[in-house]
Amino acid sequence: MVNIQVTVNAEGGLHARPASLLVNTANKFSSSVKIVKDTKIADAKSILNIMTLGAKKGETLAIQIEGADEQAASAELQNLFANNFEV
């Protein structure tokens, strides 16, 4: 299992567009991807789950990735957050 910490730097937090990009990225991989904010845990492959987190700009999230391609998933997700969801 890979655990990483990311900061939401996108204006407006994880609103529809960044959440959609996050889900699309997570769905590229077979690994399980969970996003943790405080006590809430969301499946990163579900836009509804991501939206229910209510993650705002400046908040830190934990991402838990487990599976055969967890390293590749981790790198791509970190890159997504580091580049403010600019693809």
Side-chain angles (χ1 to χ4, degrees):
M1 177 182 286
V2 174
N3 291 299
I4 58 174
Q5 298 282 322
V6 295
T7 301
V8 179
N9 290 317
E11 287 299 324
L14 284 182
H15 58 84
R17 183 183 165 277
S20 176
L21 289 170
L22 177 57
V23 169
N24 289 341
T25 301
N27 277 311
K28 290 181 186 180
F29 303 97
S30 63
S31 293
S32 166
V33 182
K34 305 288 185 207
I35 309 288
V36 181
K37 178 185 174 247
D38 302 324
T39 59
K40 297 179 186 176
I41 300 173
D43 180 353
K45 296 184 179 186
S46 166
I47 195 158
L48 290 176
N49 277 209
I50 298 300
M51 298 297 288
T52 60
L53 289 176
K56 298 183 179 7
K57 182 177 180 177
E59 292 184 320
T60 299
L61 306 174
I63 302 179
Q64 301 171 341
I65 308 161
E66 185 170 12
D69 53 3
E70 62 191 25
Q71 294 298 328
S74 172
E76 196 157 334
L77 289 166
Q78 285 182 73
N79 188 49
L80 189 65
F81 277 88
N83 292 312
N84 294 331
F85 298 89
E86 297 295 325
V87 289

